[in-house]
Amino acid sequence: MLFERQQYQIDCVDNIVAVLNWCDVRSNDFDNLQTAINKLWEEKGYHQFQKTDKKRLDVLMETGTGKTFTYLKSIFELNKQFDKKKFIIVVP
């Protein structure tokens, strides 16, 4: 199977990695996750999304836009960059 990579999927994975680069992922210290997300929003100029105070990263994409590919690509990148090996994906 061949999948066509879309720029928004690559941007999503890059944003996740960028946010986690500001956290101490290797020590599982995510105390500054909200600050890291806010920095990314300022740098990228994201204003169309709603902010929350919860410490979590959500990937919100429309049906048929490649969420599964984006999740898997994120997992491989997080393994490569931060040596993480366990992941939980919650799907409604």
Side-chain angles (χ1 to χ4, degrees):
M1 290 176 61
L2 292 175
F3 295 98
E4 185 176 327
R5 293 185 175 125
Q6 303 295 327
Q7 187 59 47
Y8 61 86
Q9 295 166 333
I10 296 166
D11 292 343
C12 180
V13 174
D14 290 345
N15 288 343
I16 291 168
V17 171
V19 165
L20 294 178
N21 274 327
W22 288 314
C23 299
D24 189 4
V25 176
R26 294 187 193 281
S27 300
N28 292 320
D29 182 10
F30 297 98
D31 290 338
N32 65 340
L33 181 64
Q34 190 62 44
T35 304
I37 292 171
N38 289 335
K39 283 182 186 180
L40 179 75
W41 281 46
E42 290 172 18
E43 283 182 10
K44 301 284 185 168
Y46 294 145
H47 300 291
Q48 71 270 30
F49 305 108
Q50 179 183 4
K51 289 185 182 182
T52 68
D53 293 331
K54 296 181 180 179
K55 292 183 180 179
R56 68 178 187 211
L57 290 173
D58 292 332
V59 177
L60 304 172
M61 298 168 69
E62 295 291 328
T63 300
T65 56
K67 286 185 294 297
T68 302
F69 172 81
T70 304
Y71 294 148
L72 293 174
K73 177 77 172 141
S74 297
I75 287 170
F76 285 117
E77 281 300 312
L78 296 175
N79 175 265
K80 184 169 88 175
Q81 302 252 348
F82 305 111
D83 198 35
K84 291 295 178 184
K85 294 177 175 53
K86 295 181 182 179
F87 300 90
I88 298 172
I89 299 174
V90 180
V91 186

